[in-house]
Amino acid sequence: MTVTPHGSSPSPWSPWDVAAARTIVLPPGPRDRLVEHARRKVTGRHLPGEPPQLRAFGLLAGDWPEPGVLAVSAVYPLTHSARTDPAYADTVDEIYREHARPTATPQEQRGWVARPGDVLRAEEDADAHGWILFGNYHTHRIAWPEDPVRDSCTAFDTALARGSGMWVLIVSMVDPDVPRIRAFYEGDPVREAVLTG
């Protein structure tokens, strides 16, 4: 996905290409908001009316302080998934059957689909601030024998993110007191950005 900051135009090799980022800056304020959302959800402290699911998902917006660097300016925690909406369920179920491994989490609770209205509100807020929506985040909370930290993308994550043009931040909440965050373009494990504060 190639987008340009307001008043800029892309060059033949656009430094404003989201996919070209090699570093993502996650400053303390946005990082704290993201981690608090993840910690709240995985420890079962749900908001009134929020589904009692032990996972978190949200969107990220920001800008480019310099070519090849994206900076998170806003975190948009999402509270409801459209995962079980008939418009999306069959597609996600098919991807699940092909790419996901069995876990303790029920199939219908795996794979988050952001509600269109939530995405629109995040895009409108980002536009109002001159930012772009460039990423999303979600939690992993259950350790696997071959991946005890769970801070990397699964095949299911990659299949869901493929073609999105978005950075996927995995927030490991295996130990909610020691969160770990990593960033992958379209959930591709070989396209990792350096995450700095």
Side-chain angles (χ1 to χ4, degrees), residues 103-105 140-144 147-150 173-174:
T103 69
T105 305
H140 288 174
R141 66 181 180 84
I142 299 171
W144 290 350
D147 186 8
V149 178
R150 292 297 313 281
M173 282 285 162
V174 171

Side-chain angles (χ1 to χ4, degrees), residues 2-163:
T2 301
V3 263
T4 58
H6 296 287
S8 300
S9 57
S11 65
W13 70 271
S14 178
W16 311 121
D17 183 351
V18 170
R22 295 296 170 256
T23 301
I24 296 176
V25 180
L26 183 59
R31 184 185 192 286
D32 292 347
R33 182 172 164 97
L34 184 155
V35 168
E36 178 48 36
H37 176 228
R39 187 176 287 133
R40 179 180 64 74
K41 292 288 289 191
V42 302
T43 58
R45 294 179 288 127
H46 301 95
L47 301 174
E50 185 177 42
Q53 297 174 339
L54 301 177
R55 62 194 178 126
F57 184 90
L59 300 171
L60 304 167
D63 59 11
W64 297 270
E66 61 186 85
V69 178
L70 290 167
V72 177
S73 301
V75 173
Y76 303 99
L78 302 182
T79 58
H80 292 76
S81 175
R83 163 69 172 95
T84 57
D85 182 315
Y88 309 108
D90 289 345
T91 300
V92 177
D93 286 344
E94 183 179 323
I95 295 169
Y96 174 87
R97 284 189 296 275
E98 187 174 338
H99 298 282
R101 64 180 278 175
T103 69
T105 305
Q107 174 179 330
E108 66 276 3
Q109 290 184 18
R110 294 187 65 197
W112 188 282
V113 177
R115 297 183 304 183
D118 293 339
V119 175
L120 181 60
R121 280 186 290 283
E123 285 181 335
E124 288 172 343
D125 184 70
D127 286 347
H129 288 90
W131 303 325
I132 60 155
L133 206 58
F134 69 80
N136 63 68
Y137 65 91
H138 72 271
T139 53
H140 288 174
R141 66 181 180 84
I142 299 171
W144 290 350
E146 73 282 5
D147 186 8
V149 178
R150 292 297 313 281
D151 63 349
S152 57
C153 288
T154 66
F156 186 45
D157 295 332
T158 303
L160 288 173
R162 188 175 294 122

